[in-house]
Structures are given as structure tokens and as C-alpha cells.
Amino acid sequence: HASIMQKLQDALPNCTIREFVGRDHDLNSTHLLWTEADVVVAPHGAALAFMTFMRPGRAVIEIGYDNYDSRGMTFPLSYFMSIAASVGLRYYLSIARGGYSSSLRADVEDIVSLVQLALRQVTLDI
């Protein structure tokens, strides 16, 4: 996590990068943060459902994982992609090493590249 945050800050010095931890926010502040977001990067999980608060034309980058054992991803890979499409968001996927019940080792360079791509493609006038 710290590595991703640092690399994003280094690669995007003119962007505001915020960390979202759900337990630190009530529903109103959660709604506001997600509504203001142009690009969201998040590991596969229930918090991605908040993407429905995002404005159309923005982007979400899901960090999935490669361990599909019996405790693996509980939804198909297209689950959050379908939600993103239904609310008019661009969707990107980066696959990390690990699984649902273990730590994830994300490909930090891939995530930074996807964020840079997403920022070039988001529609900010909607």
C-alpha cells in the first residue's frame, strides 16, 4: 500500500491523492469523497460498490488477485466491471499476486500506468 501511494505521488505531483478507509467515514463523507473522485484505485472488495456514487466519465481501477482457490474471489472478474459500465465509468483491472485470505502483492508499475492512462481518458466536464 505505501509503495503504491508513494509511486502515485511521485508520478502525479499535480494530483490530489487521498486514502479512503471506510471505517473512518460516515455515509455522507463517503458519498462526498467518491463523488469528487476522478480515478479510484481499490482492491477487489465490497468498498468498490461505492463506485455507484462516482460521476459518469470517471474511472475505477480494481486490484484483483490471481489466487482462485476455494477462498478466492467470490464474484467473477466481470462483477465490478459490469457495475462500472452500468454507471458510466471507465474500468481497468490490475492483477496482484495473492488471494482473498492473504496479502496482495500488487504490480505497482502497472497500477501507476493504469492511473496515468485513466487520467488521460476520463471525462471531466460531465
Side-chain angles (χ1 to χ4, degrees):
H1 176 82
S3 178
I4 292 171
M5 294 296 285
Q6 187 61 56
K7 291 281 189 178
L8 287 172
Q9 290 170 349
D10 292 347
L12 306 163
N14 297 322
C15 291
T16 300
I17 299 172
R18 295 183 184 150
E19 179 180 36
F20 172 79
V21 178
R23 70 175 172 265
D24 297 339
H25 297 275
D26 63 16
L27 187 56
N28 288 332
S29 65
T30 297
H31 180 265
L32 182 63
L33 282 172
W34 285 74
T35 299
E36 292 177 342
D38 295 323
V39 176
V40 168
V41 177
H44 174 85
L48 277 169
F50 291 128
M51 76 173 82
T52 59
F53 294 149
M54 295 175 72
R55 293 168 290 166
R58 293 351 190 236
V60 64
I61 299 165
E62 178 182 3
I63 303 172
Y65 43 85
D66 66 354
N67 184 347
Y68 298 103
D69 62 11
S70 62
R71 298 200 35 92
M73 294 176 79
T74 56
F75 297 103
L77 284 174
S78 62
Y79 180 75
F80 287 115
M81 178 178 67
S82 298
I83 294 171
S86 74
V87 294
L89 303 176
R90 294 182 180 276
Y91 172 87
Y92 306 87
L93 175 65
S94 181
I95 297 294
R97 309 265 320 151
Y100 185 77
S101 59
S102 66
S103 297
L104 293 179
R105 284 172 288 167
D107 183 337
V108 176
E109 297 303 322
D110 184 49
I111 292 168
V112 170
S113 294
L114 289 173
V115 170
Q116 290 170 324
L117 175 63
L119 285 170
R120 288 191 303 269
Q121 296 182 341
V122 294
T123 307
L124 298 179
D125 59 338
I126 295 176

